[in-house]
C-alpha cells in the first residue's frame, strides 16, 4: 500500500484550521458598543459601571499602556436563534501567543457580578446554553491595556515598564464584538481532530498510528466542507472508534490540576496582579461550574486576601468552591517566594501567615509546598516545610538548568538538618501545560521513576500573567482519560498524587542539599535597593517583636499584633520570586523601595514605643542589644547603662608611610597600600597571613555583563573573561576617632561612577569593616569586590537560613562548574585546618569563588557581588546611590563568622531611659541562637521562642525565662502542639534543651500573670 501519512496529516490540519474551527460559530451579529477610556489608575467596578459611555466603533484603537477602558456592550438575541447555544465573542485586539502578557478584560453584569474574563485564548462570554430568543444583553468589560514587554526579541530595553515613562498612544485595536451561535458538534469535532492529530504525531510507526490516520481520512471524507455543521456528527462518528480505544494497562498517568501561575508582580505592577487574579479566578469558577471533573489549584494566601478585600462577591464563590473540593488552595505560603534570599525567620513567616490564612478562611491546612517557578531552593527548606505541616514539595524550575539534567522526578529531598521531604518535578517540564499531545507524551517519555512509579503531575493552564485553564484544555482532558497510545489524564488533587507515589516508591532516591538552579544566577544581585530593603526590614520586624514581647509581658504595653502582621505581610509579599530577585519592571522596584522605607519607619516606631515602655522616661543613656549574640557583655534582648559598658581595648595603632598605612590592634595587623588595597592581614596570635601572596584584597573589579538572554536574571559564565581592576585611587586618607578606631577613606572614580570606601578597624576587632558608598552610573556592568585568601579551602561555607551549607571549591564536574555564582546570607567562610577567614555583608546575597594554585600552594579568592546594571526589564536597574557594608574577618571559624555576620546586620541601639532591664529569655549552649521572641499568632498572650543550632552539630543547652513560667511546650512553626514534641517540663523556670544539627525548635511559653 502507498504511504499517505503526510497527505492525511496535511489535509486534517488544513480542514481543521480553515473550515472546522471557523464553523464553530456559524452565525454572528455585531453588538452595540460604547466605551469610556480611563488613562490613569483602575477604579472600583461599581464606579466603572456608572461611567458615561460614548459609542465605540469596532476596528478602532483603544488603550494607552497601563490604562483601563470600560466598554459597554448591548444586544438582543434574535428570536430565530431560539434553542441555540448563544455566546458573545470579544476580541480586544488579541495576539494569541501573548496570553497573560497583553490586554485583558473582566466582564461584569450591570448588577456588578463578575461573569468571567477575556484574554487571547479565552474570547467568549456565555449568554445561554439554549436561548429563548429575544433576551436583552447588557454587559460591561473592564479592559486593561497592559503593554507587551516580552516581544519577539524579548529582552530589549523598554520605557513601557513604568506608567511614568510609558507611551500614551493607544496600543490595541478592537477586532470583534459579536453575538454568536456556537455549534457544539463542530466544537467537539475540532477537539476530536486536534487530539488525534497530536497523538499520532507522538506514536511509533505501528498499527495504532495507522488506524488513527485512516480514521482521520474517513472522517474528512464524510465531512461536507460547505455544510460543516450538518455533517460534523457523521465525521465524529467516524472518529469514535479510535477515540474509544482504551489506554494500555501500563500507560503513564497524569495527575492534572487546573492552574494559572500568576506572578504576584513581574512585567506588571502589584495593582495589576490583583485584577489578574480576579480575572483568572472568575473564569476558573465558570469552568468549575461547567465541567464536573475539573479541579483548579491556586497558591499564595496573599492572592486570596486581595480577592477577599477587593472582590468579596468573587471571594464568596471561591469559598464555596473550596468547600466543594473543586478549588484547591496550594502551597501553604503567603506568596510563592524566593527561597534562597529570605532569612530563616522570613521563610517561617511565609508558612505561618500562609497556613494560618488558609486555616482561618477555609478550614484547610495545606499539605505541600508549591513553588513551580522560584529560582533555586534553599537546603533549609525541607526542615521548615515539614515543621510547617507540609509533607511534600513541588517545583519544575530545575528543568531549566543550563548544564546538568536533574536525575529524578519523584524523590526525597534532604535538607541541611537531615529532614527529608517527598518531592516531585513534573517531567512535562512546564507549569503552564496545554495538555498537547507533545506535552503528555514528553511526560511519559522523560519520567525517570517509571520502573516503579506510575504517574506525574500536570499543571494545566496559561500562567505567569494568568489566564488559567481553557475549556479546550478541559475538553482535551476528557478525551485523554483513557485513550490508547496516550498517558491517562485525570483531574486530581496533588495530595492524592503524592500519596500514590509514596506507596509506589517506598525507597525513593535521595537528593541531599540545595536545589541549585543553573540559570538566573544574577538574581542574587540585581536591584540592590530591593535586596537591602529586604535584609533591613526582616531584621527590624524580628527586633520589634523582641522588644514588644518583652514590654508586653512586663508592662501595660499592648502588643501591636495588627501592625506587626501588616508589616510582615508587606515584607513577605516583596519576597515574591520576581520582586526580591530584582527581575520585575521599573514600576515594581520603584514601589518596592518606597514600601521598604515605609516599613522601616513603621518598624522603628514600634521599636521606640516598646523600648520606651520598658525603660520609662529618664536620662540614663542605655545600650540595648537586639542581636542573638552577647555583645559588650549585654545578653541578647538585654540592656546596660552606657556608663557600665566594659572599657574599650587600647586604641588602634595607625602608622602611615610612603608605602601605605598599617593598622593594628592586639589581634590583627593590616596593611593598606597607597591605592587603598589590602596587601596584608595578619592574625597576630598565630602569625598567619590571610591575603594570598602577591595579591590585594578589597579589590573592586568590573566585568562586562551582557548575558545572552534574561538580562536581570542571568550572568553567563563568559563574564569572567573580561575584567577591569579598579586599582587607582583618587585619594587615601587616614583618620582616627574618639573611640579609638582607625579609619581609611578611599575615593575612586571610574567611567561615570564614583566610590567612597571607609575601612575601619576598631579596638579589639578581628574584622576590618568596609562601608562603601557608590554612585553607580554604569550599564551592563557587574561590580565585585575580591578577597584573595591564602587559605587552602576545600569548601566554601556560606550561611543560609538557620545554618550554613558547604560547596566544593573545585570544578571537577559539570555540577560544580555550573555553580559559578552562588548564594550566601551574612557570611562566607573559607578555612583550612587551623585557620580561616570570613567575608561578611549587610545587603548582598551573591558571591563567587575561584581556587588558584601556584608552586603547589592553593589559595582561594572569594568575591562579593555588589552591583549590576542590566537593562531589561528595568532599563535603569541599579543606577544611582548605593551603600554596602561588608568586612573581612581575620582568623575565623563558623561560630565567629556567624556572630560577626549577626553583629554587622543587627546594630546596638542607644536610648535614654530610667533604668536598664534584663532580657525576657536567656539562652545558654554553644551554637544555640535565638531566632524569634514574639507573642503567639493566636493572640492568646503566650510567648513563642524560636531557636536553632547554628554550628551543624548536636548540642545541649538551657533556656532561662526571666518571668514566672507556668508551662512550656514544643510547637510547630505554625505554633501548634507537636504530637511527638519533646517534653520540656521544668520546675526551676529553666528549660533544658537538646537539639540536633541545624535543628529549629519552637517553644511556646505560658507565663503566669
Ligand atoms: Zn513566576
Amino acid at each position: 500500500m502507498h504511504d499517505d501519512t503526510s497527505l492525511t496529516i496535511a489535509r486534517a490540519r488544513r480542514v481543521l484550521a480553515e473550515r472546522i474551527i471557523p464553523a464553530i460559530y456559524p452565525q454572528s451579529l455585531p453588538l452595540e458598543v460604547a466605551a469610556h477610556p480611563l488613562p490613569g489608575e483602575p477604579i472600583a467596578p461599581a464606579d466603572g459601571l456608572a461611567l458615561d459611555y460614548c459609542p465605540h466603533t469596532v476596528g478602532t484603537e483603544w488603550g494607552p499602556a497601563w490604562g483601563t477602558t470600560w466598554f459597554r456592550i448591548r444586544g438582543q438575541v434574535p428570536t430565530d436563534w431560539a434553542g441555540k447555544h448563544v455566546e458573545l465573542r470579544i476580541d480586544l485586539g488579541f495576539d494569541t501567543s501573548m496570553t497573560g502578557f497583553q490586554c485583558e478584560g473582566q466582564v461584569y453584569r450591570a448588577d456588578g457580578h463578575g461573569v468571567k474574563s477575556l484574554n487571547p485564548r479565552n474570547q467568549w462570554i456565555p449568554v445561554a446554553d439554549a436561548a429563548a430568543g429575544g433576551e436583552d444583553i447588557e454587559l460591561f468589560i473592564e479592559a486593561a491595556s497592559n503593554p507587551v514587554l516580552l516581544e519577539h526579541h524579548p529582552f530589549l530595553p523598554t520605557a513601557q515598564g513604568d506608567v511614568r515613562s510609558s507611551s500614551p498612544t493607544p496600543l490595541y485595536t478592537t477586532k470583534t464584538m459579536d453575538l454568536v451561535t456556537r455549534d457544539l458538534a463542530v466544537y467537539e469535532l475540532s477537539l476530536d481532530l486536534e487530539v488525534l492529530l497530536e497523538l499520532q504525531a507522538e506514536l511509533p510507526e505501528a498499527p495504532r498510528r495507522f488506524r488513527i490516520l485512516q480514521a482521520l481520512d474517513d472522517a474528512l471524507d464524510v465531512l461536507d466542507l460547505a455544510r460543516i455543521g450538518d455533517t460534523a456528527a457523521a465525521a465524529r462518528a467516524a472518529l469514535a472508534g479510535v477515540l474509544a480505544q482504551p489506554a494500555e494497562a501500563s500507560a503513564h498517568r497524569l495527575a492534572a490540576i487546573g492552574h494559572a501561575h500568576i506572578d504576584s508582580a513581574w512585567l506588571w505592577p502589584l495593582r495589576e496582579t490583583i485584577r489578574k487574579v480576579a480575572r483568572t479566578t472568575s473564569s476558573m469558577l465558570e469552568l468549575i461550574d461547567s465541567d464536573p471533573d475539573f479541579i483548579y489549584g491556586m497558591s499564595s494566601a496573599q492572592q486570596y486576601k486581595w480577592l477577599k478585600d477587593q472582590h468579596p462577591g468573587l471571594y464568596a464563590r471561591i469559598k464555596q468552591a473550596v468547600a466543594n473540593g473543586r478549588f484547591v488552595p496550594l502551597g501553604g505560603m503567603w506568596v510563592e517566594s524566593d527561597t534562597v534570599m529570605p532569612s530563616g525567620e522570613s521563610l517561617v513567616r511565609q508558612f505561618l501567615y500562609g497556613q494560618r490564612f488558609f486555616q482561618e478562611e477555609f478550614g484547610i491546612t495545606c499539605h505541600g509546598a508549591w513553588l513551580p517557578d522560584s529560582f533555586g531552593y534553599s537546603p533549609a527548606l525541607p526542615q521548615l516545610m515539614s515543621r510547617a505541616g507540609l509533607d511534600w514539595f513541588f517545583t519544575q524550575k530545575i528543568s531549566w538548568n543550563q548544564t546538568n539534567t536533574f536525575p529524578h522526578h519523584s524523590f526525597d529531598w534532604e535538607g541541611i538538618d537531615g529532614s527529608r521531604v517527598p518531592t516531585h518535578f513534573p517531567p512535562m517540564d512546564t507549569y503552564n501545560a496545554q495538555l498537547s499531545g507533545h506535552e503528555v507524551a514528553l511526560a511519559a517519555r522523560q519520567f525517570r521513576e517509571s520502573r516503579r512509579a506510575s504517574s506525574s503531575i500536570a499543571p494545566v493552564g496559561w500562567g505567569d500573567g494568568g489566564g488559567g485553564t481553557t475549556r479546550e484544555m478541559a475538553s482535551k482532558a476528557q478525551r485523554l482519560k483513557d485513550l490508547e497510545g496516550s498517558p491517562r489524564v485525570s483531574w486530581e488533587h496533588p495530595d492524592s498524587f503524592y500519596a500514590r507515589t509514596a506507596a509506589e516508591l517506598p525507597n525513593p532516591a535521595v537528593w541531599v542539599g540545595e536545589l541549585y538552579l543553573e540559570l538566573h544566577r544574577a538574581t542574587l544581585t540585581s536591584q540592590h535597593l530591593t535586596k537591602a530593603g529586604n535584609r533591613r526590614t526582616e531584621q527590624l520586624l524580628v527586633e520589634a517583636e523582641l522588644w514588644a514581647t518583652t514590654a508586653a509581658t512586663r508592662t501595660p504595653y499592648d502588643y501591636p499584633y495588627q501592625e506587626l502582621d501588616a508589616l510582615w505581610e508587606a515584607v513577605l509579599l516583596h519576597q515574591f520570586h520576581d520582586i526580591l530577585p530584582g527581575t520585575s519592571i521599573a514600576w515594581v522596584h520603584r514601589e518596592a523601595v518606597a514600601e521598604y522605607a515605609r516599613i522601616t519607619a513603621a518598624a522603628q516606631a514600634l521599636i521606640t514605643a516598646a523600648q520606651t515602655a520598658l525603660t520609662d522616661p529618664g536620662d540614663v543613656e542605655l545600650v540595648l542589644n537586639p542581636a542573638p549574640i552577647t555583645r559588650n557583655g549585654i545578653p541578647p534582648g538585654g540592656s546596660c547603662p552606657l556608663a557600665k559598658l566594659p572599657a574599650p581595648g587600647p586604641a588602634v595603632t595607625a602608622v602611615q608611610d610612603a608605602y601605605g598605612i598599617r593598622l593594628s590592634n592586639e589581634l590583627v595587623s593590616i596593611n593598606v597600600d597607597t591605592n587603598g588595597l589590602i596587601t596584608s592581614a595578619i592574625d597576630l596570635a598565630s602569625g598567619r597571613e590571610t591575603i594570598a601572596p602577591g595579591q590585594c584584597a578589597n579589590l573592586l573589579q568590573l566585568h562586562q555583563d551582557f548575558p545572552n538572554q534574561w538580562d536581570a536574571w542571568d550572568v553567563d559564565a563568559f563574564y569572567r573573561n573580561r575584567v577591569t581592576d579598579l586599582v587607582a585611587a583618587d585619594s587615601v586618607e587616614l583618620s582616627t576617632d574618639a573611640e579609638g578606631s582607625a579609619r581609611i577613606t578611599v575615593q575612586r572614580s571610574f567611567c561615570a561612577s564614583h566610590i567612597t570606601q571607609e575601612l575601619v578597624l576598631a579596638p579589639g576587632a578581628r574584622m576590618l569593616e568596609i562601608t562603601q558608598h557608590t554612585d553607580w552610573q554604569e550599564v551592563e556592568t557587574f561590580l565585585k569586590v575580591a578577597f584573595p585568601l591564602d587559605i587552602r579551602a576545600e569548601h566554601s561555607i556560606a550561611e543560609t537560613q538557620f545554618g550554613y551549607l558547604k560547596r566544593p571549591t573545585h570544578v571537577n564536574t559539570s555540577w560544580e562548574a555550573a555553580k559559578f555564582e552562588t548564594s550566601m546570607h551574612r557570611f562566607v567562610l573559607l578555612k583550612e585546618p587551623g585557620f580561616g577567614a570570613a567575608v561578611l555583608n549587610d545587603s548582598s546575597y551573591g558571591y563567587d569563588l575561584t581556587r588558584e594554585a601556584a608552586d603547589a600552594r592553593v589559595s582561594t579568592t572569594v568575591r562579593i557581588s555588589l552591583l549590576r546594571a542590566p537593562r531589561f526589564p528595568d532599563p535603569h536597574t541599579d543606577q544611582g546611590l548605593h551603600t554596602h557594608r561588608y568586612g573581612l574577618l581575620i582568623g575565623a571559624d563558623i561560630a565567629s563568622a556567624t556572630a560577626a555576620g549577626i553583629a554587622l546586620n543587627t546594630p546596638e541601639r542607644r536610648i535614654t531611659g530610667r533604668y536598664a532591664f534584663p532580657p525576657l529569655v536567656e539562652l545558654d549552649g554553644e551554637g544555640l541562637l535565638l531566632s524569634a521572641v514574639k507573642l503567639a499568632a493566636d493572640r492568646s498572650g503566650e510567648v513563642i521562642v524560636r531557636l536553632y543550632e547554628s554550628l551543624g552539630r548536636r548540642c545541649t543547652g538551657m533556656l532561662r525565662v526571666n518571668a514566672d513560667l507556668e508551662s512550656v511546650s514544643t510547637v510547630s512553626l505554625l505554633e501548634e502542639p507537636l504530637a511527638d514534641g519533646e517534653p520540656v517540663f521544668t520546675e526551676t523556670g529553666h528549660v533544658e534543651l537538646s537539639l540536633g544539627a541545624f535543628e529549629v525548635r519552637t517553644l511556646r511559653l505560658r507565663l503566669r500573670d
Side-chain angles (χ1 to χ4, degrees):
M1 175 177 171
H2 300 297
D3 181 5
D4 290 332
T5 299
S6 58
L7 201 62
T8 302
I9 292 169
R11 177 193 188 190
R13 284 186 181 151
R14 181 171 189 194
V15 171
L16 177 63
E18 296 184 22
R19 296 301 158 89
I20 296 174
I21 288 175
I24 293 172
Y25 301 104
Q27 293 161 290
S28 68
L29 289 170
L31 292 155
E32 178 196 322
V33 183
H36 185 118
L38 288 170
E41 287 301 281
I43 58 174
D47 298 331
L49 300 174
L51 292 169
D52 293 328
Y53 286 83
C54 295
H56 173 88
T57 304
V58 175
T60 57
E61 293 181 326
W62 68 280
W66 305 117
T68 299
T69 298
W70 280 83
F71 291 99
R72 187 190 65 206
I73 45 182
R74 285 175 173 164
Q76 188 180 53
V77 179
T79 50
D80 60 354
W81 287 10
K84 298 198 171 179
H85 187 101
V86 178
E87 294 184 349
L88 306 188
R89 287 192 78 200
I90 308 289
D91 185 341
L92 296 169
F94 293 130
D95 175 342
T96 53
S97 67
M98 293 283 174
T99 299
F101 294 88
Q102 211 212 6
C103 61
E104 300 173 55
Q106 174 73 314
V107 181
Y108 294 94
R109 290 196 314 231
D111 63 5
H113 174 82
V115 179
K116 69 180 279 295
S117 61
L118 297 166
N119 66 50
R121 297 287 186 142
N122 208 328
Q123 303 184 12
W124 60 280
I125 303 169
V127 174
D129 289 341
E135 293 97 329
D136 285 322
I137 296 158
E138 183 182 57
L139 291 168
F140 296 81
I141 303 170
E142 180 191 19
S145 40
N146 300 334
V148 173
L149 296 174
L150 270 179
E151 296 186 77
H152 301 293
H153 181 323
F155 306 111
L156 293 174
T158 172
Q160 297 284 59
D162 193 333
V163 70
R164 292 184 178 176
S165 56
S166 59
S167 142
T169 52
L171 298 175
Y172 299 104
T173 302
T174 50
K175 288 183 194 161
T176 308
M177 293 195 171
D178 287 345
L179 186 65
V180 297
T181 59
R182 178 165 174 253
D183 188 321
L184 295 180
V186 178
Y187 168 78
E188 299 293 351
L189 174 62
S190 73
L191 268 301
D192 290 348
L193 279 170
E194 193 172 317
V195 165
L196 290 169
L197 268 169
E198 290 177 353
L199 171 59
Q200 64 79 29
E202 303 299 323
L203 292 175
E205 299 286 313
R208 172 62 172 162
R209 184 176 190 215
F210 297 122
R211 297 281 157 75
I212 290 173
L213 289 168
Q214 186 56 47
L216 291 174
D217 264 335
D218 293 345
L220 295 169
D221 287 341
V222 299
L223 192 69
D224 183 339
L225 298 185
R227 296 188 308 119
I228 299 275
D230 294 339
T231 52
R236 293 199 72 202
L239 298 172
V242 289
L243 284 167
Q245 290 296 323
E248 294 84 346
S250 60
H252 185 67
R253 184 168 165 184
L254 281 166
I257 177 87
H259 194 48
H261 172 75
I262 303 181
D263 288 313
S264 291
W266 181 27
L267 301 176
W268 43 87
L270 284 166
R271 66 88 161 146
E272 190 58 26
T273 312
I274 300 169
R275 299 203 296 180
K276 281 178 177 288
V277 175
R279 286 190 287 257
T280 296
T281 51
S282 69
S283 284
M284 295 306 95
L285 289 168
E286 193 283 332
L287 195 54
I288 284 170
D289 288 344
S290 61
D291 185 326
D293 296 330
F294 179 63
I295 297 175
Y296 182 71
M298 186 170 103
S299 72
S300 303
Q302 170 72 83
Q303 298 191 354
Y304 290 82
K305 191 177 185 206
W306 281 330
L307 297 181
K308 181 183 179 188
D309 294 345
Q310 300 195 28
H311 296 272
L314 187 60
Y315 188 67
R317 293 165 60 204
I318 289 173
K319 274 194 133 167
Q320 188 58 51
V322 171
N324 295 340
R326 306 288 304 283
F327 197 115
V328 178
L330 290 173
M333 295 178 75
W334 189 249
V335 295
E336 288 186 16
S337 79
D338 182 85
T339 71
V340 176
M341 293 179 273
S343 69
E345 219 24 69
S346 282
L347 285 185
V348 169
R349 305 313 167 98
Q350 288 284 356
F351 294 121
L352 175 68
Y353 283 87
Q355 291 281 44
R356 282 187 63 83
F357 184 90
F358 292 134
Q359 287 170 342
E360 288 168 6
E361 293 293 317
F362 306 121
I364 279 176
T365 304
C366 295
H367 293 293
W370 183 270
L371 291 167
D373 194 31
S374 303
F375 308 149
Y377 302 91
S378 160
L381 273 180
Q383 176 180 200
L384 302 183
M385 289 188 287
S386 60
R387 287 174 190 270
L390 299 164
D391 306 327
W392 54 260
F393 175 58
F394 175 89
T395 183
Q396 66 81 48
K397 199 66 182 182
I398 304 301
S399 73
W400 288 41
N401 272 4
Q402 261 176 336
T403 306
N404 295 289
T405 302
F406 198 81
H408 318 297
H409 288 108
S410 292
F411 62 102
D412 273 2
W413 178 27
E414 181 181 311
I416 52 173
D417 70 312
S419 295
R420 291 183 178 180
V421 63
T423 296
H424 178 67
F425 297 175
M428 249 182 202
D429 290 350
T430 182
Y431 53 82
N432 294 330
Q434 316 291 299
L435 282 184
S436 72
H438 175 69
E439 287 170 338
V440 301
L442 185 71
R445 210 158 45 231
Q446 295 201 131
F447 185 51
R448 294 264 190 161
E449 279 68 41
S450 277
R451 283 190 176 207
R452 292 189 185 276
S454 62
S455 55
S456 64
I457 287 181
V460 180
W462 293 101
D464 297 322
T469 318
T470 63
R471 64 184 177 188
E472 288 81 6
M473 296 173 197
S475 296
K476 282 189 171 180
Q478 285 171 4
R479 286 161 177 77
L480 298 174
K481 267 183 191 168
D482 192 15
L483 182 63
E484 185 188 354
S486 170
R488 285 193 181 87
V489 175
S490 53
W491 300 111
E492 192 174 4
H493 194 302
D495 286 350
S496 309
F497 162 83
Y498 281 91
R500 181 168 61 247
T501 299
E504 291 172 343
L505 290 176
N507 295 300
V510 178
W511 181 268
V512 178
E514 67 181 322
L515 290 169
Y516 177 87
L517 177 61
E518 296 172 356
L519 200 72
H520 296 358
R521 301 166 179 90
T523 56
L524 301 169
T525 307
S526 298
Q527 299 281 7
H528 173 252
L529 294 180
T530 301
K531 266 76 174 169
N534 177 67
R535 184 76 68 85
R536 282 289 77 70
T537 53
E538 60 187 8
Q539 181 269 319
L540 282 172
L541 292 182
V542 168
E543 184 182 347
E545 289 174 342
L546 169 69
W547 302 130
T549 305
T550 311
T553 52
R554 290 182 181 161
T555 75
Y557 170 87
D558 283 332
Y559 192 82
Y561 289 107
Q562 256 180 317
E563 294 93 326
L564 283 166
D565 285 347
L567 293 172
W568 266 118
E569 288 174 8
V571 169
L572 299 179
L573 169 58
H574 287 78
Q575 290 169 347
F576 174 72
H577 66 258
D578 280 307
I579 304 180
L580 181 53
T583 50
S584 282
I585 52 174
W587 190 348
V588 173
H589 290 288
R590 169 167 62 78
E591 290 189 339
V593 170
E595 186 68 349
Y596 283 128
R598 181 189 70 82
I599 298 165
T600 299
Q604 298 277 15
L606 292 180
I607 289 168
T608 301
Q611 290 174 341
T612 304
L614 276 165
T615 62
D616 286 345
D619 54 8
V620 182
E621 279 192 88
L622 297 169
V623 180
L624 277 59
N625 178 21
I629 49 165
T630 298
R631 278 191 305 201
N632 280 323
I634 309 174
S639 62
C640 177
L642 180 62
K644 291 191 178 171
L645 282 192
V652 171
T653 308
V655 179
Q656 187 163 18
D657 62 21
Y659 301 104
I661 300 167
R662 176 185 292 268
L663 305 179
S664 42
N665 59 21
E666 67 275 29
L667 298 175
V668 296
S669 175
I670 297 164
N671 279 6
V672 175
D673 71 9
T674 54
N675 283 315
L677 303 175
I678 301 168
T679 53
S680 171
I682 295 173
D683 170 57
L684 292 175
S686 64
R688 263 298 302 259
E689 175 59 74
T690 309
I691 308 300
Q695 306 282 313
C696 297
N698 186 36
L699 176 65
L700 293 161
Q701 296 185 301
L702 300 176
H703 293 274
Q704 188 167 286
D705 182 17
F706 189 57
N708 291 345
Q709 56 178 356
W710 298 109
D711 297 39
W713 293 254
D714 283 1
V715 56
D716 287 330
F718 52 75
Y719 91 98
R720 281 183 179 161
N721 302 351
R722 273 180 70 94
V723 60
T724 303
D725 292 345
L726 298 180
V727 173
D730 303 340
S731 64
V732 177
E733 292 170 5
L734 173 66
S735 59
T736 54
D737 66 23
E739 290 172 353
S741 297
R743 178 184 312 263
I744 301 173
T745 305
V746 184
Q747 307 272 354
R748 300 183 198 280
S749 302
F750 54 96
C751 310
S753 301
H754 185 86
I755 288 178
T756 303
Q757 285 183 319
E758 293 184 342
L759 287 58
V760 176
L761 184 65
R766 287 193 163 274
M767 181 175 75
L768 181 74
E769 185 177 323
I770 301 172
T771 301
Q772 176 172 323
H773 302 287
T774 309
D775 181 4
W776 183 242
Q777 301 295 337
E778 308 310 302
V779 293
E780 292 165 354
T781 303
F782 206 164
L783 175 66
K784 295 204 165 218
V785 61
F787 294 87
L789 304 177
D790 189 13
I791 293 174
R792 183 193 177 89
E794 298 303 329
H795 300 89
S796 68
I797 299 172
E799 190 186 31
T800 185
Q801 298 95 352
F802 300 117
Y804 58 84
L805 72 161
K806 290 182 175 181
R807 301 183 179 101
T809 56
H810 64 71
V811 287
N812 286 1
T813 74
S814 58
W815 292 89
E816 284 95 29
K819 293 181 183 173
F820 58 83
E821 179 80 12
T822 53
S823 64
M824 63 181 164
H825 280 202
R826 295 167 293 195
F827 73 83
V828 181
L829 170 68
L830 281 307
K831 70 183 181 72
E832 62 180 40
F835 190 72
V839 170
L840 302 314
N841 77 83
D842 82 328
S843 57
S844 302
Y845 293 95
Y847 76 97
D848 78 299
L849 201 81
T850 44
R851 175 185 173 111
E852 291 91 25
D855 301 327
R857 182 166 171 165
V858 172
S859 61
T860 317
T861 298
V862 58
R863 300 193 302 168
I864 305 175
S865 305
L866 296 176
L867 290 169
R868 296 182 76 227
R871 300 182 67 208
F872 181 86
D874 176 357
H876 304 295
T877 304
D878 287 332
Q879 301 298 291
L881 302 176
H882 298 271
T883 298
H884 294 82
R885 288 167 62 236
Y886 50 92
L888 175 64
L889 186 67
I890 302 157
D893 58 13
I894 291 167
S896 63
T898 304
I902 289 169
L904 186 68
N905 282 268
T906 318
E908 288 176 343
R909 290 192 179 268
R910 293 193 178 187
I911 61 168
T912 54
R914 202 160 146 213
Y915 38 72
F917 58 87
L920 177 61
V921 295
E922 292 178 78
L923 185 60
D924 292 337
E926 196 178 352
L928 285 183
L929 293 173
L930 287 169
S931 178
V933 177
K934 62 188 279 284
L935 290 194
D938 62 8
R939 306 195 178 184
S940 61
E942 295 183 357
V943 176
I944 300 295
V945 176
R946 188 161 17 258
L947 51 103
Y948 70 105
E949 195 290 317
S950 64
L951 301 178
R953 60 191 186 187
R954 292 174 215 196
C955 75
T956 55
M958 179 89 79
L959 184 78
R960 290 196 301 278
V961 183
N962 294 322
D964 193 0
L965 182 63
E966 184 177 322
S967 67
V968 185
S969 56
T970 304
V971 293
S972 71
L973 298 183
L974 310 182
E975 304 172 6
E976 294 166 342
L978 285 174
D980 56 350
E982 186 181 323
V984 284
F985 181 74
T986 169
E987 294 174 5
T988 58
H990 298 350
V991 183
E992 288 183 16
L993 298 164
S994 171
L995 273 74
F998 299 127
E999 183 182 340
V1000 179
R1001 180 80 57 87
T1002 306
L1003 302 174
R1004 192 171 172 125
L1005 318 182
R1006 181 176 298 155
L1007 308 181
R1008 289 195 183 87
D1009 289 334

